[in-house]
Amino acid sequence: MSKKKMKPASAMRIWLPLLLMAFAASAAPHALAVQDVETPRILVLPFQVISQTDASYLSTQIAQVVAQRLSRQGAQAFTAKPEDLDAAKRISESSPEQIIAFAQKSYDAAFAVWGDFTLTDGDFSLDVRLMEIAGASPQRFSAKGSGIENLVTVANDVADQIGKTLFKHELVAHVEVKGNQRIEADAILRVVKTKSGSAYNPSALTEDLRAIYAMGYFDDLRVEAQADPDGRRVTFHVQEKPTIRHIRIRGNSKVKEEDINDNLTLNTGAILNIYKIRSNMDQIETLYKEKNYHKVKVDYEIKPLENNQADLDFIIEEGPKLYVTRIRFEGNHAFEEKKLKKMLDVNEKGFFSWLTSSGDLDRAALEQDMAKLNAFYSNQGYMNARVGDPIVQIGDEGIQITFKIEEGQRFKIGRTDIEGDLIFPKDDLLSKLKIIEETYFNREVIRNDILALNDRYADQGYAYSDISPRIVPHEDDLTVDIIYVARKGPQVYFEKIIIQGNTNTRDKVIRRELHVREQGLFSNSALKRSIRNLYRLEYFEDVKVDTLKGGKEDKMVLKIDVTEKSTNSFTFGAGYSSAEDVFFTGSISQRNLFGRGQILNFEGSIGGSTTVFSLKFTEPHFLDTQWRTYIEAYNLERTYSNNGYERKSTGGGLGLGHPVWDYTYFNWGYNLDQSDVIVTERALISESVRELEGTNLTSSVNLSLSYDSRNRGFNATEGSKHTAYFEYAGLGGNIGFNKYIGQTMWYYPLYKSLVGFVNAKAGYVHPNDDGKLLPDYEKFYLGGINSLRGFGYQGVDLTEMKAIFNENGDTVTIPVKVGGNKMVQFNLELNFPLVSQAGLFGVVFYDTGNVYADRIDLSDLRESAGAGIRWMSPFAPIRLEYGHILDRREGESSGRWEFSMGGSF
């Protein structure tokens, strides 16, 4: 045989079947005892390998495959022991007599198997001999194959031929099932491999027993294989588990039976399984403990019946209802018990426990309380404090919980430093650390410092930076040094950005909202801003971000997976408004037209005072630039009943905007409006309104600068919005004025879900010097749900004395309502959730402001205060708020309800 070195490809072709052989060996099941099965002992010797390349290691591997295959057929087959391997290889080349003597003497075998393996240019053959100890001459078996990867299959085929000879080609004459009552025999026989007419294989019977047991219907199994003139008669004997006829609950008086049954996973007709019974007992105990019956005991009783059935009873001893009546602390010296109790979610039973759930024992909350206490101590300088697992003692009258505390010593902050890879000046980094401002050790502040430092490094592209604190305590003076160690790692660039889940929205619409770019430097703050931008689009229910390693150490793959939501909306509603009385409203809008991010909106409203229809199209990125453009048209009819006239307007406008800073837009717009003013009550109109009677044309241009960082438009919880607005009218037409408006709004998260809101607004309008008119409807009025609540729509105004003739022909003066040239408005609010899942919120407020003809007088402000609710309904934001006038004047009501369906300030 040649001993040439094998080529890599050849080695791969040979090692592949060897791995398969190893898997076959590990997956072979252990044989089960089966009645009437003979297991002949067979020694499989190493094979002689004839090959142009060195494949001698296949000698023992082929023998192992053949032995494993024979064992699966019911034989007790094995190969030579490692210490006998060399002798076995020599014997396998000897005469049959010497082989038989070796097998019998060394291994007490009844049979021996040996053979040759010949490999030539990828083709191979197996020549195998089988000889019984008492036999006259060996029997020969052979097989051929092509491709070394098929060696295992061919070796198994040869082993199957040997197995048929060993077991004398016995067939299964008949297969039957006995002992079954409810489970049909056909259902059992479908899961077994042994079939009538198939070759009899004792090893297959053990697998069949496992398959039947896995059905889960039987307590006991056995199989018989008896001789029969036509082969073997195989009988599977089964003993079925009983089924449940009835499930009864006994001993319950505090918990309804239907509530207990709702928590059970067992039902009538199910197989009686002791493990499921115990699991359901645990479910019942859990149900009772949730209702504060902590001494509940649950047992069961099985009553056997005919037809292999049984009744199952759950027996409950409910015990008394118990609450937490005492929470103790042991080892607390620095803090009083009262202070520590305030941090806990689990608390002692109080007078209003029926309403507040105080005194309920919640094991999960108790574990969290332990963590809270540990965190509290470590944030107060007790860096070595330990709070042990709470000890729960359930007594006859109540529950006592004990927290054992080891406070340790309190450490002050000593030296604070930062070292390692510094990408900023050390003084700059140290100045940003909050731990320097602390007197005592505070683990939470340290953690926040680490996050802040990591963010600063990440904003410079160091995505894998690692900031870790080295804490060095000094027991002698009870100080602790905090040294932040920085490891910057490589600067990372985005190799590519993958966007998934957008079936409607185009990729470019998403990419243009991102503040990170492919091949651009990684920035953590830019990535966060990108995700915020995507949410603000309101196209997506969810945005998931994953960062993956790129092709190189300094490359990263950004994966953005979005879940789209509907951007079409059709709304229709009716209601009552303090400004409009009964009104009807509807709209059709698409916020993501054709997946391009364009907005098309048509809406209309018909009310007691106003009828308006408008159509607007917005392109947020004109020609894929940062320019935002819009075009709109409207038709408006409004009755100014307090001022004695009606206005019918038709108009439209167009505009564009462009970002100038973060969250900041510059906007330009042009509006054209034609209004017909119809006097309805001449006694109520002012001189300025009388001049407008007829058709008026307004051609105006406006400029604005706006900043908006709110997290959402309705009921925002953080951020701010600021607007500076200027409008010039007089580019043709008979109307001419200059209008200036400034507004600032702030949202502050105060405590938990409590949000504070501050709004300030001021305006000034004056006519042009060209003699054109300033309409009263362009002046300022206050009052209503979006300004001063409680005064009514446009209830804060100015009065102008007008001379008229009375019924006697005498001249008298009467007051008429007019708008102001100037206005100021201030609003303070506290917003809080009522049912946050349903989008229902509460609000309390204070409003103040006024309108003026000349100078603004802040000592002359109207005031109101009140409360209300806000609901982010499925069709539109709804507000219902009551304002009480604090400086009520003669003839005014004390206040009123305000209602609206739409936006906020």
Side-chain angles (χ1 to χ4, degrees):
M1 292 184 291
S2 172
K3 303 291 184 179
K4 294 181 180 178
K5 186 176 181 180
M6 295 183 66
K7 297 179 180 179
S10 301
M12 286 295 293
R13 287 194 297 270
I14 290 177
W15 278 110
L16 177 62
L18 295 182
L19 293 173
L20 294 174
M21 286 188 280
F23 173 78
S26 64
H30 298 292
L32 295 177
V34 181
Q35 294 186 14
D36 194 23
V37 176
E38 298 176 0
T39 52
R41 289 177 57 81
I42 305 172
L43 172 64
V44 183
L45 294 168
F47 278 60
Q48 294 187 55
V49 178
I50 304 170
S51 173
Q52 295 178 347
T53 58
D54 183 11
S56 58
Y57 48 86
L58 289 176
S59 172
T60 55
Q61 300 293 345
I62 296 172
Q64 290 174 0
V65 172
V66 173
Q68 290 163 7
R69 188 70 169 190
L70 290 173
S71 295
R72 289 176 64 83
Q73 296 183 48
Q76 187 179 351
F78 45 85
T79 58
K81 299 176 182 177
E83 59 268 23
D84 295 338
L85 199 55
D86 291 337
K89 287 181 178 179
R90 291 193 300 272
I91 289 295
S92 65
E93 300 176 4
S94 305
S95 64
E97 293 75 17
Q98 291 176 303
I99 292 174
I100 289 298
F102 178 79
Q104 185 179 24
K105 181 178 180 181
S106 301
Y107 291 92
D108 193 26
F111 294 87
V113 173
W114 70 97
D116 301 328
F117 168 72
T118 304
L119 177 63
T120 307
D121 296 330
D123 296 330
F124 63 87
S125 62
L126 279 174
D127 185 16
V128 184
R129 271 82 74 189
L130 166 69
M131 188 170 181
E132 190 175 1
I133 300 301
S137 60
Q139 299 182 60
R140 302 180 70 92
F141 307 88
S142 63
K144 294 183 178 181
S146 179
I148 197 68
E149 63 274 9
N150 296 313
L151 175 56
V152 172
T153 302
V154 174
N156 284 334
D157 289 343
V158 173
D160 290 344
Q161 296 178 40
I162 296 173
K164 290 179 181 179
T165 300
L166 286 172
F167 297 106
K168 302 176 183 178
H169 304 284
E170 274 192 299
L171 299 177
V172 176
H174 185 69
V175 181
E176 61 182 346
V177 178
K178 290 185 178 181
N180 57 308
Q181 298 179 21
R182 299 183 314 276
I183 311 302
E184 295 183 358
D186 288 344
I188 299 172
L189 293 176
R190 274 198 295 269
V191 304
V192 302
K193 295 181 179 178
T194 302
K195 308 291 182 184
S196 296
S198 64
Y200 173 67
N201 184 349
S203 179
L205 296 180
T206 62
E207 297 180 5
D208 290 342
L209 287 176
R210 290 173 181 162
I212 296 173
Y213 188 78
M215 295 175 72
Y217 302 138
F218 308 105
D219 272 332
D220 190 28
L221 298 171
R222 63 187 179 88
V223 61
E224 289 181 349
Q226 298 175 331
D228 189 90
D230 297 327
R232 291 274 184 164
R233 176 179 291 274
V234 176
T235 304
F236 293 100
H237 295 271
V238 300
Q239 180 180 333
E240 294 178 344
K241 294 178 179 179
T243 56
I244 301 173
R245 188 187 69 168
H246 292 304
I247 299 176
R248 288 190 291 261
I249 310 296
R250 291 160 44 191
N252 63 302
S253 61
K254 306 298 184 182
V255 179
K256 295 179 181 179
E257 185 171 335
E258 51 264 35
D259 291 339
I260 297 174
N261 286 326
D262 287 343
N263 281 267
L264 299 182
T265 58
L266 280 172
N267 48 44
T268 57
I271 300 296
L272 194 63
N273 186 312
I274 190 63
Y275 299 106
K276 289 187 177 180
I277 292 174
R278 289 173 178 166
S279 174
N280 280 264
M281 290 168 59
D282 292 340
Q283 289 290 102
I284 296 173
E285 285 191 3
T286 300
L287 174 64
Y288 267 86
K289 288 177 180 178
E290 287 175 352
K291 298 179 181 295
N292 292 310
Y293 293 93
H294 296 283
K295 282 199 167 186
V296 63
K297 294 179 181 179
V298 182
D299 203 350
Y300 71 95
E301 185 177 295
I302 298 174
K303 298 179 180 179
L305 303 170
E306 295 179 353
N307 301 320
N308 203 27
Q309 289 185 313
D311 286 345
L312 172 63
D313 291 358
F314 286 105
I315 306 163
I316 303 172
E317 293 182 23
E318 293 179 324
K321 198 169 189 177
L322 299 172
Y323 293 93
V324 177
T325 56
R326 179 77 170 96
I327 298 178
R328 300 176 58 248
F329 300 90
E330 292 182 3
N332 59 307
H333 305 293
F335 302 100
E336 294 182 356
E337 187 175 275
K338 183 178 179 181
K339 184 177 183 66
L340 297 179
K341 283 182 179 179
K342 288 181 178 180
M343 301 176 193
L344 307 181
D345 288 331
V346 176
N347 44 41
E348 296 167 348
K349 181 184 178 183
F351 182 77
F352 295 101
S353 61
W354 54 275
L355 179 64
T356 63
S357 298
S358 64
D360 289 355
L361 176 61
D362 185 332
R363 299 276 181 173
L366 203 56
E367 293 296 319
Q368 294 176 2
D369 285 342
M370 181 184 69
K372 286 182 179 179
L373 290 172
N374 269 309
F376 170 74
Y377 269 93
S378 66
N379 293 338
Q380 302 298 320
Y382 296 90
M383 56 182 294
N384 297 321
R386 297 291 182 268
V387 179
D389 291 335
I391 300 171
V392 179
Q393 295 171 298
I394 300 176
D396 294 333
E397 302 298 328
I399 302 170
Q400 178 175 285
I401 300 172
T402 304
F403 291 94
K404 292 189 175 183
I405 302 171
E406 295 179 12
E407 291 181 334
Q409 297 294 327
R410 194 179 194 188
F411 286 80
K412 289 186 175 182
I413 297 297
R415 183 173 67 93
T416 303
D417 200 359
I418 183 168
E419 59 185 39
D421 302 328
L422 305 185
I423 63 173
F424 300 99
K426 178 183 286 191
D427 291 343
D428 179 33
L429 292 173
L430 288 174
S431 66
K432 301 296 190 294
L433 299 179
K434 300 300 182 182
I435 194 63
I436 296 177
E437 303 172 9
E438 297 291 320
T439 303
Y440 293 97
F441 178 87
N442 190 312
R443 199 175 299 277
E444 184 177 358
V445 173
I446 294 173
R447 182 165 53 249
N448 291 336
D449 279 345
I450 292 171
L451 293 175
L453 289 172
N454 270 317
D455 284 346
R456 290 201 69 186
Y457 272 68
D459 283 344
Q460 300 301 314
Y462 297 98
Y464 306 122
S465 63
D466 177 36
I467 312 294
S468 58
R470 190 166 70 243
I471 300 173
V472 184
H474 303 289
E475 301 286 347
D476 53 346
D477 60 355
L478 295 180
T479 60
V480 57
D481 296 340
I482 312 296
I483 297 94
Y484 296 90
V485 182
R487 298 287 180 265
K488 65 180 181 180
Q491 239 178 349
V492 178
Y493 295 81
F494 287 110
E495 186 174 36
K496 57 182 174 180
I497 300 174
I498 301 172
I499 299 173
Q500 297 180 156
N502 53 318
T503 56
N504 178 54
T505 308
R506 303 192 180 194
D507 263 26
K508 72 174 185 179
V509 174
I510 297 175
R511 290 182 184 273
R512 68 193 183 195
E513 299 297 330
L514 303 182
H515 283 230
V516 294
R517 299 288 182 267
E518 290 183 348
Q519 308 307 318
L521 193 64
F522 177 89
S523 170
N524 192 52
S525 60
L527 185 56
K528 290 179 180 178
R529 174 67 188 277
S530 301
I531 305 310
R532 180 166 181 160
N533 285 355
L534 293 179
Y535 274 114
R536 281 164 62 96
L537 287 175
E538 296 189 357
Y539 300 163
F540 311 111
E541 289 182 1
D542 192 20
V543 179
K544 295 181 179 177
V545 177
D546 195 10
T547 52
L548 309 173
K549 289 280 189 180
K552 296 181 180 179
E553 185 182 4
D554 63 343
K555 297 293 185 182
M556 174 185 288
V557 175
L558 176 61
K559 185 178 176 183
I560 300 175
D561 197 344
V562 299
T563 302
E564 292 184 312
K565 63 181 179 182
S566 175
T567 53
N568 299 310
S569 66
F570 171 77
T571 66
F572 178 80
Y576 179 83
S577 167
S578 53
E580 299 293 333
D581 295 327
V582 178
F583 68 90
F584 300 91
T585 182
S587 69
I588 301 173
S589 67
Q590 168 54 265
R591 300 192 312 275
N592 188 14
L593 189 64
F594 306 124
R596 298 175 180 270
Q598 298 162 335
I599 304 169
L600 181 64
N601 185 65
F602 173 76
E603 59 185 18
S605 179
I606 300 174
S609 300
T610 306
T611 298
V612 61
F613 297 95
S614 66
L615 178 67
K616 185 175 183 179
F617 173 78
T618 303
E619 169 56 79
H621 290 271
F622 182 66
L623 299 178
D624 291 328
T625 67
Q626 291 296 310
W627 287 99
R628 177 175 59 191
T629 59
Y630 72 88
I631 184 170
E632 64 178 337
Y634 63 86
N635 181 273
L636 168 71
E637 295 184 11
R638 176 170 291 174
T639 299
Y640 298 85
S641 56
N642 292 336
N643 303 81
Y645 71 96
E646 294 179 357
R647 173 190 171 202
K648 297 182 179 180
S649 297
T650 301
L654 53 86
L656 54 85
H658 194 279
V660 289
W661 300 294
D662 212 14
Y663 298 113
T664 307
Y665 258 87
F666 168 80
N667 299 280
W668 172 90
Y670 172 77
N671 293 301
L672 184 65
D673 177 272
Q674 179 175 296
S675 294
D676 292 328
V677 174
I678 303 167
V679 175
T680 58
E681 190 69 38
R682 290 195 175 274
L684 297 179
I685 65 171
S686 64
E687 185 64 26
S688 59
V689 173
R690 187 192 62 78
E691 295 176 344
L692 293 169
E693 188 174 6
T695 300
N696 301 276
L697 183 65
T698 304
S699 176
S700 67
V701 62
N702 61 78
L703 303 174
S704 68
L705 189 66
S706 62
Y707 172 93
D708 188 355
S709 64
R710 297 175 299 171
N711 58 343
R712 53 178 176 261
F714 183 76
N715 269 6
T717 59
E718 61 179 350
S720 60
K721 182 180 180 181
H722 319 292
T723 304
Y725 175 86
F726 168 71
E727 182 178 5
Y728 173 81
L731 303 174
N734 65 317
I735 303 298
F737 60 85
N738 289 270
K739 181 181 286 188
Y740 310 85
I741 298 176
Q743 184 175 18
T744 179
M745 297 187 292
W746 299 82
Y747 297 84
Y748 298 97
L750 298 177
Y751 176 72
K752 293 187 176 179
S753 299
L754 187 65
V755 177
F757 168 69
V758 178
N759 175 60
K761 185 176 181 180
Y764 170 51
V765 62
H766 65 84
N768 295 341
D769 296 331
D770 52 11
K772 293 183 178 181
L773 302 176
L774 170 60
D776 185 73
Y777 53 77
E778 293 291 352
K779 293 182 179 181
F780 298 110
Y781 288 84
L782 290 180
I785 199 165
N786 288 325
S787 58
L788 303 190
R789 286 157 282 194
F791 288 92
Y793 179 66
Q794 292 192 348
V796 178
D797 51 30
L798 298 177
T799 55
E800 182 180 281
M801 302 307 295
K802 178 182 178 181
I804 63 171
F805 293 102
N806 63 12
E807 57 186 10
N808 298 323
D810 298 327
T811 302
V812 297
T813 58
I814 62 171
V816 295
K817 295 180 179 295
V818 294
N821 294 79
K822 300 180 180 66
M823 60 81 71
V824 290
Q825 172 190 332
F826 304 98
N827 308 92
L828 297 176
E829 288 185 358
L830 285 178
N831 296 276
F832 48 91
L834 296 175
V835 185
S836 56
Q837 297 86 348
L840 189 65
F841 297 83
V843 59
V844 294
F845 61 83
Y846 168 79
D847 299 336
T848 185
N850 210 344
V851 298
Y852 306 92
D854 296 314
R855 66 182 184 86
I856 294 175
D857 182 5
L858 294 181
S859 64
D860 180 21
L861 295 175
R862 305 303 310 273
E863 297 176 288
S864 67
I869 58 174
R870 295 175 180 177
W871 178 34
M872 188 61 190
S873 74
F875 49 91
I878 291 178
R879 298 170 61 191
L880 178 62
E881 298 164 18
Y882 181 82
H884 176 73
I885 299 176
L886 300 177
D887 57 341
R888 180 184 174 191
R889 296 177 180 176
E890 185 178 353
E892 289 182 337
S893 65
S894 59
R896 69 176 62 204
W897 285 97
E898 307 278 6
F899 175 83
S900 78
M901 190 160 50
S904 186
F905 290 100

